[in-house]
Amino acid sequence: MKLILSVLLLFGSISAGMAKDVPTNVAELIDNNAETCYTGVKGKNKLVFDVKFDAPMLSYKVFSADDDSKHDPVEWVLKGSNDGKKWKTVDERKGQIFCARYQEALCVVENPAAYKKYMLEITAANKEILKVADVQFFDKNLMKGWEDFKYPTINFIDKAEGTEGSKLYKTLVQNPDEYIKFHARKVAEILYYTADDQMVDVQNIRYTLEDTDGISAKGGNSPRINIFYSTRHIENSAHESMYKLDFETRGVLYHELVHGYQFEPKGVGNYGNNKIFWSCIEGLADGVRAESGHFDMKTRRPGGNWMDGYRTTGFFIQWLKTKDPDAIRKFHLSVRDLEVWGWDEAMKYMFGSEATIEGLWNEYQDFLKAGN
Ligand SMILES: [Zn+2]
């Protein structure tokens, strides 16, 4: 009896009509926290999601866990049901490979329809025990407009082979090419509206791991750029947990990839000799990083100036989204369109002639002082 009780507690409610051993609404899978994972069994696992869906789910994400990639799901069938008895296949995946730990596989539902419940029949490779971090459902097709994104080619070179940082990177990232390509698309999604937009053409990224000081930097100019990532920084970032290392690694990658995909301001000197130019470039890179969820937003503090660059500027640009959901894209368009770019000019471009950089910055400061 004790065993049955603990199983009930662990797996939450049991749907009527389902066999009693079908885990339903598994907490670790629906907590939007890739750090916690569900450990299943060898062979086919059935997992039910019964959270009273009220619209057809058009896409979903399955996240790999932090464990050895041999436990990753390699194939699954997604089924929908209204009564928990009759199930209809809505999507199917085979030969799935996750390029990294805590990595999403975004799937567009092939046959969407309104169902109250969903069930995943999901299996790891070679009859290994299944481990999955999260499953998320969306009533939007999150790939819409990005199906035709032109991925860059990647030259990944580990120049720090044998270092602790290099080993940690390999534990985190199994396929660097796919991992960098994934983040390239994510950056473009934040900077642009669709893959058909007029876009900075990044064709090739040479990405190196290097046993050197510093964190990461982008060099070269589109269409061919290079990015290095310090294995010493990897080592320092791994002290707390692999999840923290992942958070930092993705955050840094977002920032550097923005430098590949962003337009550069015109008419205001250059990166090295003009603070307006520099704060625009570094502010937007950290703004996109903040928007991607790879900054601890609790570290935002009042103070500073919009031209301080990096996260002081980046948090401000990201906050502009409270005024307009497309604020980051519009900010970026101001960089493309204005013949002489400036902070005040950009705010007027985005919000109309009444807007000023002082006014918006002060409003943002009030927002921060109010404890947000
Ligand atoms: Zn930068």
Side-chain angles (χ1 to χ4, degrees), residues 164-193:
E164 194 54 33
S166 161
K167 287 176 199 159
L168 285 163
Y169 189 87
K170 281 181 192 135
T171 307
L172 200 60
V173 182
Q174 283 69 53
N175 184 334
D177 287 19
E178 289 306 316
Y179 183 78
I180 295 161
K181 283 185 196 175
F182 166 79
H183 287 90
R185 191 190 83 228
K186 298 301 285 180
V187 162
E189 285 178 14
I190 297 173
L191 287 175
Y192 300 93
Y193 289 90

Side-chain angles (χ1 to χ4, degrees), residues 10-11 23 26 28-29 36-41 45 47 65 67 71 129-133:
L10 189 65
F11 294 146
V26 177
E28 291 84 352
L29 288 175
T36 61
C37 90
Y38 169 71
T39 302
V41 296
N45 289 252
L47 298 165
D67 211 305
H71 296 296
I129 287 172
L130 174 80
K131 295 201 179 186
V132 184

Side-chain angles (χ1 to χ4, degrees), residues 168-298:
L168 285 163
Y169 189 87
K170 281 181 192 135
T171 307
L172 200 60
V173 182
Q174 283 69 53
N175 184 334
D177 287 19
E178 289 306 316
Y179 183 78
I180 295 161
K181 283 185 196 175
F182 166 79
H183 287 90
R185 191 190 83 228
K186 298 301 285 180
V187 162
E189 285 178 14
I190 297 173
L191 287 175
Y192 300 93
Y193 289 90
T194 78
D196 300 327
D197 286 5
Q198 179 205 342
M199 204 178 282
V200 178
D201 188 23
V202 184
Q203 290 176 10
N204 179 264
I205 301 172
R206 182 178 185 270
Y207 190 93
T208 52
L209 294 184
E210 298 183 26
D211 183 12
T212 168
D213 287 333
I215 300 174
S216 190
K218 169 252 179 190
N221 282 307
S222 299
R224 301 178 71 83
I225 63 167
N226 47 73
I227 296 170
F228 91 86
Y229 188 34
S230 158
T231 49
R232 293 180 201 172
H233 183 68
I234 294 174
E235 288 155 20
N236 292 332
S237 304
H239 284 150
E240 218 173 305
S241 68
M242 283 305 280
Y243 188 70
K244 279 282 157 65
L245 173 63
D246 177 75
F247 189 80
E248 175 67 8
T249 298
R250 290 179 192 269
V252 167
L253 187 52
Y254 267 99
H255 178 107
E256 300 306 340
L257 285 170
V258 172
H259 291 329
Y261 282 92
Q262 74 190 149
F263 296 116
E264 298 197 340
K266 294 182 287 287
V268 280
N270 61 43
Y271 185 91
N273 71 12
N274 186 287
K275 210 175 169 187
I276 297 170
F277 187 110
W278 171 85
S279 60
C280 172
I281 293 289
E282 294 301 351
L284 185 56
D286 267 358
V288 171
R289 177 177 176 174
E291 177 60 17
S292 79
H294 292 89
F295 265 132
D296 179 358
M297 299 304 272
K298 288 192 219 79

Side-chain angles (χ1 to χ4, degrees), residues 8-15 22-31 38 46-53 116-118 137:
L8 279 171
L9 285 171
L10 189 65
F11 294 146
S13 63
I14 301 289
S15 295
V22 177
T24 300
N25 296 335
V26 177
E28 291 84 352
L29 288 175
I30 57 174
D31 60 0
Y38 169 71
K46 290 186 178 184
L47 298 165
V48 169
F49 301 85
D50 177 13
V51 291
K52 298 190 173 57
F53 295 93
K116 290 198 176 73
K117 309 162 193 275
Y118 288 90
F137 293 91

